């Protein structure tokens, strides 16, 4: 059992924190109701974050030998209640991972606030006793605690609701692009003909028609997936990404269809921004969903 987690009285992961002294689970400071046994199971997992806690260990710790209950049913119910409180999923876990026939493992980074602060204060006290001055402006109760970081991207974990909303807005933006392009095909033909006369203009019009018709159902699928919080969207988007990238890079030149209205400079600026959008989509999906 990691000493920092074992000794801490306040454990934080993502937007959640567990107050061991008060026996409370909180999300963004708001208390979440969690029954005693699920809370004890969660505490055991947090205090052994990153390590496998076997079913036998949980039985010995929470269900004594003289307790006459259906242990398997009780443990499964407790873990389900934990996942419900954390908004987690067994099929695509962000917090509690199930290891078949072995036990469970808490996979998100966990910070033990009280322990980290105590260690920092102890080290600072040792340095002061040895004659070394304490770092200027250092508050061990606050500066020693790092935010929980995403395991792959190494950035602070944002709120999933905000990430999903941003991803949904990107899909709505592309839907507007597609519908506007298809509704104004004559205008597209006129602008394309002014720069690429002959059959080249027809190629541009055909590309707008085909990619718009294909892109609309794709965006509706991604929009509905994030709206209903489809937990396998991470793996699905990885498989779709090459196609999404090609489609988005093609539509990144759409601002040049408005060249007479916005000018060359603004068209280049808009295109440069749109070239980055598919990579932003991939990052947003990775922040909200695990791959696989």
């Amino acid at each position: 059992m990691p000493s920092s987690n074992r000794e801490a009285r306040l454990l934080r992961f993502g937007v959640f924190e567990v107050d061991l002294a008060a026996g409370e689970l909180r999300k963004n400071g708001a208390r979440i109701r969690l029954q005693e046994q699920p809370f004890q199971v969660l505490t055991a997992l947090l205090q052994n974050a990153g390590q496998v806690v076997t079913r036998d260990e949980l039985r010995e710790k929470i269900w004594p030998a003289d307790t006459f209950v259906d242990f398997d049913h009780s443990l499964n119910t407790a873990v389900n209640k934990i996942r419900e409180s954390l908004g987690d999923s067994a099929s695509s876990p962000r917090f509690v991972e199930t290891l078949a026939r072995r036990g469970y493992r808490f996979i998100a980074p966990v910070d033990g606030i009280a322990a980290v602060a105590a260690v920092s204060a102890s080290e600072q006290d040792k340095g002061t006793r040895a004659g070394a001055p304490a770092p200027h402006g250092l508050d061990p109760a606050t500066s020693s605690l790092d935010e929980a970081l995403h395991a792959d991207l190494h950035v602070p974990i944002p709120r999933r609701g905000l990430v999903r909303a941003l991803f949904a807005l990107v899909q709505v933006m592309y839907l507007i692009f597609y519908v506007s392009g298809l509704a104004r095909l004559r205008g597209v033909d006129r602008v394309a003909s002014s720069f690429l006369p002959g059959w080249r203009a027809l190629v541009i019009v055909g590309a707008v028609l085909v990619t718009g018709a294909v892109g609309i159902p794709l965006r509706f699928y991604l929009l509905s997936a994030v709206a209903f919080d489809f937990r396998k969207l991470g793996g699905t988007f990885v498989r779709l990404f090459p196609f999404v990238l090609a489609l988005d890079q093609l539509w990144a030149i759409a601002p040049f269809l408005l060249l007479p209205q916005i000018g060359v400079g603004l068209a280049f600026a808009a295109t440069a921004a749109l070239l980055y959008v598919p990579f932003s989509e991939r990052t947003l999906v990775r922040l909200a969903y695990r791959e696989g």
Side-chain angles (χ1 to χ4, degrees):
M1 181 183 299
S3 59
S4 61
N5 286 349
R6 183 176 65 247
E7 298 167 3
R9 306 309 298 167
L10 187 64
L11 303 175
R12 178 176 293 169
F13 53 97
V15 298
F16 298 93
E17 64 181 21
V18 169
D19 189 332
L20 300 181
E24 293 180 350
L25 169 65
R26 307 187 192 104
K27 179 180 181 181
N28 294 320
R31 181 179 177 182
I32 299 177
R33 182 176 179 83
L34 190 62
Q35 296 173 342
E36 181 179 358
Q37 284 187 343
F39 185 84
Q40 291 177 341
V41 173
L42 177 60
T43 299
L45 296 176
L46 289 172
Q47 290 178 328
N48 295 274
Q51 301 181 20
V52 178
V53 181
T54 66
R55 298 175 69 89
D56 290 338
E57 290 172 341
L58 291 172
R59 181 202 293 267
E60 294 175 2
K61 183 178 181 63
I62 302 171
W63 286 272
D66 57 352
T67 302
F68 298 97
V69 296
D70 184 344
F71 167 72
D72 290 332
H73 175 73
S74 298
L75 179 57
N76 292 337
T77 300
V79 172
N80 287 336
K81 288 185 179 296
I82 292 172
R83 286 185 171 130
E84 181 179 351
S85 299
L86 301 181
D88 203 10
S89 168
S91 60
S92 182
R94 294 184 300 120
F95 299 112
V96 180
E97 179 185 30
T98 300
L99 290 91
R101 296 182 298 279
R102 292 182 59 195
Y104 302 92
R105 176 168 52 201
F106 199 87
I107 57 178
V110 178
D111 292 312
I113 295 177
V116 173
V119 171
S120 177
S122 176
E123 291 178 352
Q124 184 177 358
D125 183 60
K126 289 180 181 178
T128 303
R129 289 180 182 179
H136 178 69
L138 177 63
D139 183 0
T142 56
S143 62
S144 60
L145 177 62
D146 294 328
E147 294 183 77
L149 299 180
H150 190 279
D152 299 322
L153 301 178
H154 304 290
V155 297
I157 299 176
R159 298 182 182 180
R160 290 189 70 248
L162 175 61
V163 174
R164 291 167 56 207
L166 290 174
F167 184 79
L169 286 175
V170 173
Q171 309 316 309
V172 171
M173 177 190 73
Y174 278 111
L175 278 175
I176 294 173
F177 282 0
Y178 301 151
V179 173
S180 299
L182 294 177
R184 301 175 181 177
L185 276 178
R186 290 186 179 180
V188 172
D189 183 34
R190 184 170 57 255
V191 173
S193 298
S194 63
F195 294 98
L196 300 170
W199 62 270
R200 297 183 181 87
L202 292 178
V203 171
I204 297 296
V205 174
V208 171
L209 180 62
V210 173
T211 56
V214 172
I216 288 176
L218 171 66
R219 299 302 168 178
F220 271 119
Y221 167 75
L222 294 176
L223 194 59
S224 61
V226 74
F228 289 101
D229 202 10
F230 177 50
R231 293 308 176 98
K232 294 186 177 181
L233 180 58
T236 301
F237 192 80
V238 168
R239 293 188 290 273
L240 287 175
F241 183 72
F243 176 72
V244 172
L245 177 62
L247 189 64
D248 290 357
Q249 297 299 294
L250 180 61
W251 275 85
I253 64 173
F256 281 94
L257 297 176
L258 301 175
L259 200 58
Q261 289 78 27
I262 64 176
V264 175
L266 190 55
F268 268 109
T271 295
L274 288 173
L275 287 172
Y276 179 73
V277 171
F279 303 101
S280 299
E281 292 180 87
R282 183 176 61 180
T283 300
L284 290 172
V285 170
R286 292 181 67 187
L287 285 172
Y289 300 93
R290 289 171 58 89
E291 297 180 10

